[in-house]
Amino acid sequence: MSVTVANGTTTHNISIVIPVYDGSSTLTALLQEIAGQVTPQHSPLGNSFVVSEVLLVWDGGSQRSADVVRHLDSQYSWVRAIWLSRNYGQHAATLAGMSSTAGEWVVTMDEDGQHDPSYIGQLLDCALSNSTQLVYASPSNGRPHGLFRNASSASARWAFMKLVGDNNIDQFHSFRLMLGEVARGTAAYTGPGVYLDVALSWVVSSSAVTPIPMRNEGHEGSTYSFKKLLAHFGRLVISSGTRPLVYVSVIGFVFFMLGILISLWVLFQRLFADATPQGWTSSFVATLVIGGLILLSLGVIAQYLRTAVNMSLGKPLYVVVEDPLKHFPQISPHEK
């Protein structure tokens, strides 16, 4: 039962989903904090809630993090481990956890400890006060990453808004609360290559944000390389719609008209000015520019085709399996 009623008071049940890749040094402390909320609590506005379950989704990460997941699963009755067959990425792992939840509300958090679970009540207050199905945490103290990571994120958000024309990217954050039915429905129908927050925007009429301070990450550095961040941005743009294809068409039309104008100018020079335009350098540069834009346009189209082909072939977003230790007992519990 997702909602319990006792003495006329409604208690909202909350499921927490935490994708795990390299959380061996942070998960134990994070779960100890959450343990204080597995009994009925009251939010700042007086709403009663309880954390009914925590789903740790192991995303094919380090063996040490797998050992920690096993330990926490055996230590707490309200913790459930979910094992993926390989590394599918944070969004796929989050969706795998969302599909297995049972709570009235679902909270997603990172494994590194920067999300403080004591603010879950504030997220719930925002959802109930605004009658919205989705609430994002908005960092009130800035994003706890390095200068390069923050600058890259800001540039990506600006480029996304210009390319797609959607200002909602400023709301996107991995610390979020959503209605359980929305979470499970989104997880059931989201295909490969789709950005999680974009998929959520397809099924909710509106979302809200609430300011919440972020803590420093519990481990050094980020597991996302520049290549992964670039792929992350590409998936965000491609899954947000087909508007970039309109830009490809506009580029093609502009250069088509430019080609006609240049041809008319050359013809005019030849017929009326008795001059033959020369200059192989300008022709070579023009060829490089136009050829580069053509290849860029083909690359954009190819990304859409790649996503469509993956979905048509039935490529799974993730595959849930049993604990690998059951099938491969030779794995050392202390193997790195």
Side-chain angles (χ1 to χ4, degrees):
M1 187 175 181
S2 299
V3 182
T4 57
V5 180
N7 300 323
T9 301
T10 300
T11 299
H12 301 275
N13 288 354
I14 295 178
S15 300
I16 298 179
V17 175
I18 305 176
V20 178
Y21 183 78
D22 190 23
S24 57
S25 62
T26 57
L27 274 179
T28 300
L30 180 60
L31 268 291
Q32 288 174 349
E33 292 181 299
I34 296 175
Q37 300 188 30
V38 298
T39 55
Q41 309 285 311
H42 285 90
S43 68
L45 295 184
N47 293 302
S48 178
F49 72 94
V50 62
V51 174
S52 57
E53 61 179 355
V54 175
L55 285 72
L56 302 178
V57 186
W58 187 71
D59 189 27
S62 68
Q63 189 57 45
R64 286 188 299 180
S65 65
D67 294 338
V68 172
V69 168
R70 294 187 186 99
H71 174 71
L72 294 172
D73 185 24
S74 62
Q75 181 180 2
Y76 299 112
S77 61
W78 37 270
V79 170
R80 183 151 50 104
I82 296 178
W83 305 90
L84 301 187
S85 60
R86 65 170 179 83
N87 174 237
Y88 290 91
Q90 181 181 7
H91 283 218
T94 304
L95 285 163
M98 288 163 52
S99 67
S100 301
T101 58
E104 178 199 6
W105 294 92
V106 174
V107 168
T108 62
M109 304 176 63
D110 287 350
E111 63 178 6
D112 55 18
Q114 64 171 308
H115 301 156
D116 189 342
S118 65
Y119 287 96
I120 290 177
Q122 184 173 324
L123 291 172
L124 181 63
D125 284 341
C126 183
L128 297 177
S129 300
N130 294 279
S131 300
T132 186
Q133 301 167 326
L134 175 63
V135 176
Y136 288 103
S138 176
S140 60
N141 57 340
R143 299 178 183 269
H145 299 295
L147 179 61
F148 175 75
R149 174 74 179 273
N150 288 335
S152 299
S153 298
S155 300
R157 290 194 298 273
W158 178 86
F160 176 81
M161 287 187 289
K162 295 300 182 182
L163 284 172
V164 181
D166 187 352
N167 294 329
N168 289 331
I169 188 175
D170 283 336
Q171 298 182 0
F172 295 169
H173 198 274
S174 55
F175 193 14
R176 54 175 91 81
L177 175 139
M178 68 201 84
L179 194 63
E181 294 173 334
V182 168
R184 290 182 284 275
T186 302
Y189 294 104
T190 300
V194 177
Y195 196 88
L196 171 56
D197 294 298
V198 172
L200 287 172
S201 70
W202 294 341
V203 297
V204 298
S205 58
S206 64
S207 60
V209 296
T210 183
I212 290 178
M214 295 290 124
R215 303 185 293 195
N216 291 327
E217 296 180 4
H219 52 67
E220 296 182 2
S222 170
T223 57
Y224 282 92
S225 63
F226 178 76
K227 181 180 178 180
K228 288 184 177 180
L229 290 173
L230 191 61
H232 198 59
F233 173 73
R235 186 167 65 253
L236 170 61
V237 172
I238 297 301
S239 62
S240 297
T242 58
R243 186 171 179 177
L245 291 177
V246 176
Y247 295 122
V248 172
S249 300
V250 170
I251 290 173
F253 177 76
V254 168
F255 276 87
F256 172 72
M257 295 303 299
L258 183 61
I260 291 178
L261 292 176
I262 293 176
S263 299
L264 291 175
W265 177 77
V266 171
L267 183 61
F268 176 82
Q269 289 285 92
R270 185 71 179 88
L271 294 177
F272 299 99
D274 194 23
T276 302
Q278 298 179 358
W280 69 270
T281 303
S282 58
S283 301
F284 183 72
V285 170
T287 301
L288 287 178
V289 172
I290 296 174
L293 288 172
I294 291 174
L295 291 176
L296 175 62
S297 301
L298 289 175
V300 173
I301 297 172
Q303 290 301 313
Y304 281 97
L305 289 175
R306 175 173 175 262
T307 301
V309 168
N310 284 337
M311 297 182 69
S312 64
L313 291 177
K315 180 181 179 181
L317 179 61
Y318 57 83
V319 173
V320 177
V321 297
E322 290 185 317
D323 185 345
L325 202 58
K326 293 183 179 180
H327 302 288
F328 306 101
Q330 70 274 17
I331 298 177
S332 169
H334 303 292
E335 180 182 342
K336 295 184 179 180

